[in-house]
Amino acid sequence: MNTFQGISASGGIAKGNAFLLPVYTRQGVNKYPVAPDTVDADWTRFEKAREKTLEYFQSLIDQTNSRQAAIFQTYVLMLSDPDFLGQLKKEHTEQSVCIEWVVDNKAREYAGMLRSSGDSYLIERAEDILDVYGKVIDNLIGDIQVSCESIPEGAILAARFLSPSDAVFLSKKHLAAVILDKGAANSHLAILARTYGIPLVFGIEDIENRIHTGDGLIVDGSNGTVFVNPDKKTSTEYDKKIAGDAAEREKLAVFSSKAARTKDGIAVKIYANIGSAEEARIALEEGADGIGLFRTEFLFMQSGLISEERQFEEYRSVLEIMKDKPVVIRTLDAGGDKIVDIPGFSFKEEKNPLLGCRAIRLCLKMSALFKTQLRALLRAGVYGSLKIMLPLITDAEQIRQTKILIEEVKTELQSKNIPFNADVPLGIMIETPAAAIMADELAKEAAFFSIGSNDLTQYGLCVDRENAQTAGLFNELHPAIRRFIVQTAKAAQEADIPLSVCGEMAADKARMLVLMSAGINSFSVSPKKIASLKECLSHFTAEQIEALKDWTESPMDADVLQEKMNIFLSGDHARGSV
Ligand code: PEP
Ligand code: MG
């Protein structure tokens, strides 16, 4: 048995057989000459690779998911575009160089042209071309023999990394777990894995030499451990844990249809965090009171800058799925680890991207891009109960500037007789120390607050949330972070504006109770966490939770508070005897 320690990005335990995704070698396509009498044979090689890619994308089209189907249908059309194919053939014949080099070169040239057009629809297509013809090159080079079909149902997928378009494997192949070398807890893949309840561990270095297709694996997503060909003792131990988890899930299932309430009936709101309309359906099934955070950057990370129309459709779908339940859509939070391809802007040039031009700063700088999103949002606002939320606010002026842009957008829409909702509330994330300290002032401009505990902890404790080496320092229970939260809660209460918490902190039972003791009774979490939080709440009275306030407001260390909370959770209250 080998044991590898990675970093957990999605919890749960899975046991099964590995399927190793062959190493991705799309970069570095070699250029080599092709003799004139073998040019035809080389072209036939291309035709076969193109056919294989066509079949691959056709197999991904899921008719029950219109958005996803539309993307892959577009890919299929691109692979059959006679103009593009004609140009490839011409250059291949004229230059007598290998077809993979011609394809790579032409796809990049086309993508560059589309990107520089400045038209958001065409810019979006540039990424599609690279994705589509990149897959053709994979098939030409032969390193990637993978199609969705070749991944066995229920396998544990091991890969060096997965691209956003590969995220489709998660639901389509009912994967038991995913283990990666490269990854990040906030990648689209990680968020999707949490949404679908699939364990995900990354940080397994040199994965292609450590894991082989067919290896028996246990993936413990709760702590990031991967056991390869486990011994009998470990296997039996994990069988028990898996059975325990299954029993627990069954017990929790009843809570998805129940309202979140304390033992004495005090109502709490538990919303869902999502990254696409598809995830809104899961949120609804899991019993969410609405959407507390729609991370719109994930749409952009998948497809580059997307058009107003496509954004509008996605936002409208979420609102329609959620019917009259509230939906908080956050404006583009690009930058940091969330890279979006924006023409004329390079994230790479920033020395400290997390402190750089990201989120609201980027949007206010690229106001055309921001206004496109605001337009799509106001138009979608007609279809449900929408609220708009701004990320990474440090200054009230950023809210005021956004309001000016919103007014401009309204005038434009009005002049074109396009229906829109003129009364969409504008709220902000409290996820910087500046915002927490100035919450009373910001409350004069914001209609609501939502605490982003992930970034608040990152910036408050000066600890990169993605750095495995400092992971031990990242703790939302740190007294400084608790103080920020208490201060924000007081400011929201005094200004009488709604306050919620949408960072990962809210998804942990002990931390949720700590937040409640600060007077917060609205949370937004990954959909699969909703039932367990409701169940936890049902064990405690409002008075018992309020009594935790002394601990929350004290300067006690995070570890000491955690220990106390563990005892509190496992004590008589949790067993239901109090
Ligand atoms: C946060 O920072 O807590 C948050 C919810 O935003 P994100 O994780 O998307 O940065
Ligand atoms: Mg954040």
Side-chain angles (χ1 to χ4, degrees):
M1 171 173 91
N2 278 322
T3 307
F4 300 116
Q5 189 57 50
I7 299 164
S8 165
S10 174
I13 298 170
K15 201 174 170 190
N17 289 103
F19 179 85
L20 179 70
L21 203 63
V23 177
Y24 199 85
T25 54
R26 194 179 294 167
Q27 299 127 338
V29 173
N30 287 330
K31 181 181 184 180
Y32 58 87
V34 173
D37 60 344
T38 60
V39 165
D40 283 350
D42 202 42
W43 182 259
T44 307
R45 219 163 54 80
F46 166 71
E47 277 299 350
K48 282 192 185 144
R50 191 178 72 89
E51 283 297 322
K52 195 168 167 185
T53 314
L54 264 173
E55 279 168 23
Y56 169 68
F57 283 121
Q58 270 156 347
S59 76
L60 293 183
I61 296 173
D62 175 358
Q63 296 300 358
T64 62
N65 181 340
S66 60
R67 184 177 158 262
Q68 191 225 55
I71 294 172
F72 291 123
Q73 266 149 1
T74 311
Y75 280 19
V76 166
L77 286 178
M78 281 180 171
L79 281 167
S80 315
D81 177 0
D83 277 354
F84 191 73
L85 293 176
Q87 291 194 40
L88 282 181
K89 185 142 181 75
K90 185 164 173 279
E91 292 199 8
H92 183 231
T93 313
E94 283 174 3
Q95 296 181 14
S96 293
V97 286
C98 65
I99 186 65
E100 49 267 44
W101 191 85
V102 176
V103 174
D104 188 44
N105 206 30
K106 202 82 213 148
R108 285 177 200 276
E109 184 189 312
Y110 246 68
M113 260 163 43
L114 295 174
R115 281 200 194 110
S116 60
S117 68
D119 178 298
S120 57
Y121 176 80
L122 294 179
I123 290 165
E124 199 179 302
R125 298 281 81 78
E127 295 318 305
D128 292 346
I129 286 216
L130 291 178
D131 199 6
V132 167
Y133 281 95
K135 283 272 190 290
V136 174
I137 294 168
D138 291 341
N139 284 326
L140 267 169
I141 294 174
D143 288 292
I144 296 247
Q145 303 297 345
V146 174
S147 71
C148 200
E149 270 48 53
S150 64
I151 302 174
E153 282 276 326
I156 295 181
L157 187 66
R160 191 181 282 181
F161 90 109
L162 290 180
S163 70
S165 69
D166 294 331
V168 71
F169 296 148
L170 290 178
S171 59
K172 192 144 177 133
K173 300 306 290 190
H174 304 109
L175 294 179
V178 175
I179 54 175
L180 303 174
D181 180 341
K182 306 263 176 292
N186 285 305
S187 64
H188 191 201
L189 190 81
I191 291 196
L192 269 181
R194 290 198 284 271
T195 304
Y196 291 120
I198 297 172
L200 169 64
V201 170
F202 67 91
I204 306 296
E205 288 172 13
D206 198 19
I207 197 163
E208 60 270 25
N209 292 315
R210 290 172 149 180
I211 311 284
H212 305 99
T213 295
D215 277 345
L217 299 183
I218 295 176
V219 178
D220 188 340
S222 64
N223 58 17
T225 314
V226 176
F227 301 91
V228 184
N229 299 321
D231 57 29
K232 207 158 180 317
K233 183 168 166 279
T234 311
S235 189
T236 314
E237 192 185 306
Y238 270 92
D239 282 343
K240 282 191 197 139
K241 284 192 186 177
I242 291 169
D245 281 2
E248 180 70 13
R249 270 199 305 279
E250 209 166 299
K251 204 174 86 190
L252 289 178
V254 295
F255 283 91
S256 40
S257 55
K258 288 189 181 177
R261 290 192 186 285
T262 58
K263 194 175 175 184
D264 52 338
I266 302 298
V268 173
K269 291 288 178 200
I270 306 192
Y271 303 102
N273 292 349
I274 60 164
S276 68
E278 188 192 341
E279 293 164 39
R281 285 183 217 287
I282 301 177
L284 204 61
E285 277 164 24
E286 296 289 330
D289 285 314
I291 302 300
L293 168 64
F294 179 179
R295 291 179 162 100
T296 57
E297 57 277 10
F298 290 125
L299 306 175
F300 293 78
M301 283 162 70
Q302 259 183 324
S303 317
L305 284 195
I306 51 174
S307 62
E308 177 183 329
E309 235 20 65
R310 189 150 152 210
Q311 289 187 56
F312 165 69
E313 286 301 335
E314 189 82 16
Y315 307 150
R316 183 172 82 166
S317 294
V318 175
L319 287 157
E320 287 181 342
I321 290 166
M322 298 312 291
K323 302 210 169 69
D324 50 358
K325 293 186 183 221
V327 172
V328 178
I329 302 188
R330 183 174 70 184
T331 56
L332 184 65
D333 185 11
D337 60 310
K338 297 187 273 199
I339 303 300
V340 172
D341 197 356
I342 298 172
F345 187 84
S346 170
F347 290 100
K348 287 197 191 110
E349 280 161 18
E350 297 193 303
K351 195 164 169 215
N352 290 307
L354 288 171
L355 305 179
C357 191
R358 55 167 293 208
I360 187 70
R361 302 167 183 186
L362 176 77
C363 285
L364 289 172
K365 199 177 160 88
M366 316 283 284
S367 59
L369 174 157
F370 196 19
K371 280 173 76 175
T372 302
Q373 182 171 40
L374 293 171
R375 238 185 334 265
L377 283 167
L378 293 191
R379 287 173 56 202
V382 172
Y383 297 89
S385 173
L386 173 68
K387 296 179 187 192
I388 298 177
M389 180 158 73
L390 306 176
L392 210 78
I393 291 293
T394 50
D395 211 307
E397 186 54 25
Q398 293 163 322
I399 314 172
R400 288 192 282 269
Q401 283 183 30
T402 304
K403 286 181 179 171
I404 294 173
L405 293 178
I406 289 178
E407 287 312 309
E408 286 176 18
V409 164
K410 283 184 190 170
T411 311
E412 286 163 23
L413 289 170
Q414 229 152 15
S415 70
K416 290 183 186 154
N417 276 331
I418 299 174
F420 67 96
N421 181 346
D423 296 312
V424 179
L426 181 69
I428 61 167
M429 302 273 301
I430 300 287
E431 55 180 346
T432 63
I437 290 168
M438 299 305 288
D440 53 343
E441 287 300 315
L442 295 175
K444 293 175 187 161
E445 295 288 351
F448 62 93
F449 286 162
S450 185
I451 295 177
S453 54
N454 309 335
D455 276 318
L456 187 58
T457 307
Q458 162 164 267
Y459 293 118
L461 301 182
C462 303
V463 53
D464 179 352
R465 62 197 254 196
E466 294 293 326
N467 185 339
Q469 298 200 62
T470 51
L473 297 175
F474 187 98
N475 194 333
E476 302 104 329
L477 289 183
H478 188 289
I481 306 304
R482 300 200 314 266
R483 203 172 272 188
F484 282 145
I485 291 168
V486 168
Q487 197 168 330
T488 304
K490 285 188 178 145
Q493 217 164 26
E494 271 160 30
D496 197 22
I497 62 169
L499 167 66
S500 191
V501 178
C502 62
E504 291 298 304
M505 182 178 189
D508 175 88
K509 294 175 192 174
R511 286 163 166 71
M512 176 188 71
L513 296 177
V514 167
L515 291 165
M516 286 183 71
S517 73
I520 303 169
N521 64 359
S522 166
F523 307 100
S524 189
V525 297
S526 190
K528 294 278 177 199
K529 297 277 184 182
I530 295 172
S532 70
L533 293 179
K534 287 183 181 176
E535 190 268 349
C536 170
L537 269 174
S538 69
H539 292 293
F540 303 99
T541 63
E543 197 184 335
Q544 285 165 339
I545 298 169
E546 211 188 315
L548 300 171
K549 190 174 167 182
D550 289 346
W551 294 349
T552 303
E553 293 192 356
S554 79
M556 122 185 9
D557 276 356
D559 290 349
V560 179
L561 177 57
Q562 181 71 62
E563 192 53 36
K564 284 179 180 288
M565 287 307 300
N566 290 347
I567 295 168
F568 181 80
L569 277 170
S570 61
D572 283 345
H573 307 308
R575 286 199 292 273
S577 58
V578 173

